[in-house]
Amino acid sequence: MGRHIGRRPPSWCARRTAISGEIARDACWGRELRDALGCACLLFAALVALDWGTGNLSFPRVGLWAGLGVLLFVVLLPPLVTGGEGWLASRGVLRMREVRTDCLVSVRLYDGVAARLVLRDVHGERVQLDPRVLTSNPLIWHLLEQGAHRSYESGTLLCGMTALERLGKRIDGETCRAVLRASGLS
């Protein structure tokens, strides 16, 4: 299988033009959206109450506190991760990023305080996501894993298969522990 360095992507690896098939969405995103909104509203209410208590409350200050609450919401809001057969997308506040998982070139897993999985495809597109999204959404993980294996078999995935295998073992272990906890065996 030849590598596709410096050449056009394979003909079957065209950009996605329409959504087809089943779409998997991050099941925890709604809860995280509510948490971000709750934190922003709580900050706004606390600042307005503090200003009201000290007698400094005015319309410009309420506007300032509202702006600060909106800024906190934007910072805390996680991207919505969706996936389908051959693609994975991450939609943030300002933009949407999408990669073809069956045309991946690299997969990088960065561990640490803020663990990140970075996927890059042959079209130069890049998606960055939290590995916990894959842990809590087995269907998205399955779609990514299928696409990555197809990329590896076709020769486009140049680096990152070991990172995916390591992540897969971690996800399988966490899923197993969750099943044991749910059944009362741990």
Side-chain angles (χ1 to χ4, degrees):
M1 302 252 168
R3 301 286 178 181
H4 300 283
I5 301 173
R7 291 190 285 160
R8 285 190 4 230
S11 59
W12 52 265
C13 197
R15 291 183 188 267
R16 185 174 66 89
T17 57
I19 295 175
S20 62
E22 185 177 347
I23 297 176
R25 287 182 170 76
D26 182 2
C28 299
W29 186 78
R31 180 176 39 91
E32 292 173 353
L33 171 71
R34 283 189 302 275
D35 291 347
L37 188 60
C39 287
C41 289
L42 189 63
L43 176 69
F44 173 72
L47 291 172
V48 167
L50 184 67
D51 259 4
W52 181 65
T54 59
N56 294 329
L57 189 63
S58 65
F59 283 115
R61 290 179 69 96
V62 169
L64 177 67
W65 302 145
L68 196 58
V70 168
L71 180 64
L72 180 65
F73 175 72
V74 168
V75 168
L76 292 179
L77 183 66
L80 173 62
V81 177
T82 56
E85 189 173 335
W87 62 274
L88 189 77
S90 174
R91 187 182 73 202
V93 175
L94 299 177
R95 72 184 286 191
M96 181 171 169
R97 295 179 179 261
E98 181 178 323
V99 292
R100 290 286 312 260
T101 56
D102 53 358
C103 301
L104 291 175
V105 173
S106 71
V107 176
R108 304 237 188 247
L109 179 62
Y110 298 101
D111 287 324
V113 175
R116 292 285 165 223
L117 181 68
V118 180
L119 309 168
R120 191 175 303 269
D121 70 7
V122 296
H123 303 292
E125 299 294 327
R126 185 180 78 108
V127 166
Q128 179 176 322
L129 57 108
D130 189 340
R132 290 180 296 183
V133 170
L134 301 174
T135 304
S136 60
N137 297 283
L139 184 54
I140 295 176
W141 165 245
H142 177 69
L143 292 167
L144 172 60
E145 190 178 32
Q146 268 185 333
H149 280 291
R150 184 165 181 205
S151 295
Y152 183 74
E153 290 167 0
S154 69
T156 60
L157 185 57
L158 303 174
C159 64
M161 209 51 200
T162 55
L164 275 176
E165 290 169 357
R166 204 172 65 222
L167 180 61
K169 287 179 183 175
R170 185 186 316 166
I171 289 172
D172 291 344
E174 289 180 22
T175 303
C176 183
R177 282 188 290 281
V179 167
L180 290 173
R181 267 193 310 273
S183 64
L185 295 175
S186 67

